[in-house]
Amino acid sequence: MGGERMSTKESLLKRLKENTGAWISGGELSSELGVTRAAVSKHVGTLRKEGYRIEAAAGRGYLLVAVPDRMHVLEVRDGLRARVFGKQAFEVHGAIGSTNDRARSMAEAGAQEGAVVIAESQSAGRGRLGRQWFSPEEGGIFLSMILRPAISPAKAPVMTLMTAVSLAEALNRLTDADIRIKWPNDIMCGDRKLAGISTEIRSDMDMVAYVIVGIGINVNTPAGEFTGELRRIATSVMAETGVRINRCALVRILLERFERNYHVLLSEGAGTIIDTWKRFAGILGKRIAVDILGTRHEGRVVDVEDSGVLVLEDEAGCRRRFHSGDIMDCNRNGD
Ligand code: BTN
């Protein structure tokens, strides 16, 4: 965002990137950044520790050789066209219990809307319905954001649908994979799940205090990581397309899409978002079954309401509304 002050380390990295493939002298860097040569050398040391490969040679200066294949705040923020999301507190952890838990403590301590927590792996990643979220060390994105919308708690569920739309749009920008949304908030490629969203909320009777949006994406996770039951139900972008994508770029695009859709939602209402959600889901008119704790309900999908409630009509014309559950397409797999 224009006008925002960059740290010396950020400015140094920016200059090295602008100069990719060419050497830039310590003297030039020190006068451009307004710091001593010793300070330049200290920041180069820090960047190296963070995984940047920077060569140094007497009489030539510095050369950026490679950026880390890790989640890194500077890489996410590089060119980020957002005003709020990703511009506030931004934590990147190697390993953590759950990014949702960390974001909740930050929100309780007063962190602002737009704060982000990312981890390379989670030891206690949570999915919806109390399930575990597989969060291995390599290739995934485990991210939580803090929202402070001035809305009533009844209006909060649409945040999850808006997140699913933003995530599907971001994935569509960077991959050729056929991305679909499966009700209520799974991001699918074919029959397998690529990403999931869990939303936690704190509110009083009539006003939301904060919402934590948690997103888990299997990006460059090798297919072999999915073992046992996961082999049948989970996949990653790399497993589907054979292409590794830049995770920091994906987070950047996700934050941009998210911020735009969030703004549309709060200023214009849920209509446009729900329409896009329906296009990604392709579910209207389909015969499906909803499984709720082992009980199966079949019917034709007649609507998905703004709150995310799924409306099914059975053969007798009787309508039922579902807030959660697992769905199966009745026209596939002989269901
Ligand atoms: C689902 O079951 O589909 C939702 C999965 C959400 C997982 C993400 S990973 C980042 C954040 N931290 C968590 O503990 N859960 C969410």
Side-chain angles (χ1 to χ4, degrees), residues 146-204:
I146 298 174
L147 278 55
R148 294 191 182 272
I151 56 170
S152 71
K155 293 215 160 135
V158 72
M159 295 291 161
T160 312
L161 281 81
M162 184 271 290
T163 307
V165 165
S166 310
L167 185 45
E169 289 175 341
L171 284 164
N172 249 359
R173 267 277 304 279
L174 281 190
T175 85
D176 288 339
D178 178 26
I179 304 296
R180 300 220 141 253
I181 298 176
K182 181 179 172 191
W183 184 84
N185 50 31
D186 293 347
I187 304 294
M188 308 290 291
C189 189
D191 288 336
R192 294 197 174 84
K193 183 161 165 174
L194 199 69
I197 299 155
S198 66
T199 318
E200 299 175 18
I201 170 173
R202 221 207 81 198
S203 71
D204 59 26

Side-chain angles (χ1 to χ4, degrees), residues 71-307:
M71 296 310 308
H72 198 294
V73 60
L74 296 183
E75 290 303 311
V76 173
R77 282 187 172 160
D78 187 7
L80 173 65
R81 282 170 306 190
R83 291 181 161 272
V84 176
F85 289 90
K87 297 286 186 162
Q88 304 296 332
F90 197 133
E91 292 187 357
V92 176
H93 297 262
I96 202 169
S98 156
T99 55
N100 270 17
D101 290 346
R102 174 64 195 141
R104 188 165 359 93
S105 357
M106 288 165 70
E108 289 291 336
Q112 292 189 30
E113 173 161 278
V116 174
V117 183
I118 297 184
E120 291 283 359
S121 70
Q122 300 182 116
S123 54
R126 279 192 308 278
R128 66 187 185 93
L129 303 173
R131 293 169 185 153
Q132 262 189 348
W133 184 257
F134 180 58
S135 313
E137 255 172 51
E138 238 195 82
I141 293 175
F142 312 108
L143 174 153
S144 300
M145 290 184 272
I146 298 174
L147 278 55
R148 294 191 182 272
I151 56 170
S152 71
K155 293 215 160 135
V158 72
M159 295 291 161
T160 312
L161 281 81
M162 184 271 290
T163 307
V165 165
S166 310
L167 185 45
E169 289 175 341
L171 284 164
N172 249 359
R173 267 277 304 279
L174 281 190
T175 85
D176 288 339
D178 178 26
I179 304 296
R180 300 220 141 253
I181 298 176
K182 181 179 172 191
W183 184 84
N185 50 31
D186 293 347
I187 304 294
M188 308 290 291
C189 189
D191 288 336
R192 294 197 174 84
K193 183 161 165 174
L194 199 69
I197 299 155
S198 66
T199 318
E200 299 175 18
I201 170 173
R202 221 207 81 198
S203 71
D204 59 26
M205 286 295 277
D206 41 34
M207 191 55 96
V208 166
Y210 61 80
V211 177
I212 306 295
V213 172
I215 301 173
I217 320 170
N218 304 324
V219 186
N220 298 326
T221 324
E225 287 274 343
F226 302 110
T227 55
E229 170 66 356
L230 283 182
R231 199 177 309 177
R232 192 177 60 79
I233 59 173
T235 190
S236 70
V237 174
M238 192 172 75
E240 292 298 321
T241 62
V243 178
R244 278 182 88 81
I245 62 172
N246 182 320
R247 290 178 300 152
C248 293
L250 179 56
V251 170
R252 187 185 317 124
I253 295 169
L254 171 62
L255 293 173
E256 289 171 354
R257 293 282 166 163
F258 185 90
E259 181 165 303
R260 197 176 320 161
N261 290 330
Y262 184 55
H263 176 73
V264 169
L265 185 65
L266 296 182
S267 57
E268 296 170 18
T272 321
I273 302 294
I274 298 293
D275 286 349
T276 315
W277 188 97
K278 284 174 179 166
R279 273 204 303 282
F280 271 115
I283 196 181
L284 289 191
K286 283 210 169 142
R287 279 199 61 237
I288 63 157
V290 183
D291 185 311
I292 304 177
L293 303 168
T295 307
R296 185 181 161 106
H297 307 266
E298 279 192 26
R300 195 172 56 84
V301 180
V302 288
D303 198 12
V304 174
E305 297 174 355
D306 291 3
S307 59

Side-chain angles (χ1 to χ4, degrees), residues 287-299 312 314 320 322 325-335:
R287 279 199 61 237
I288 63 157
V290 183
D291 185 311
I292 304 177
L293 303 168
T295 307
R296 185 181 161 106
H297 307 266
E298 279 192 26
L312 277 196
D314 67 17
R320 270 186 88 135
F322 297 88
D326 291 308
I327 65 169
M328 285 145 284
D329 189 336
C330 289
N331 300 318
R332 295 177 95 149
N333 305 327
D335 278 321

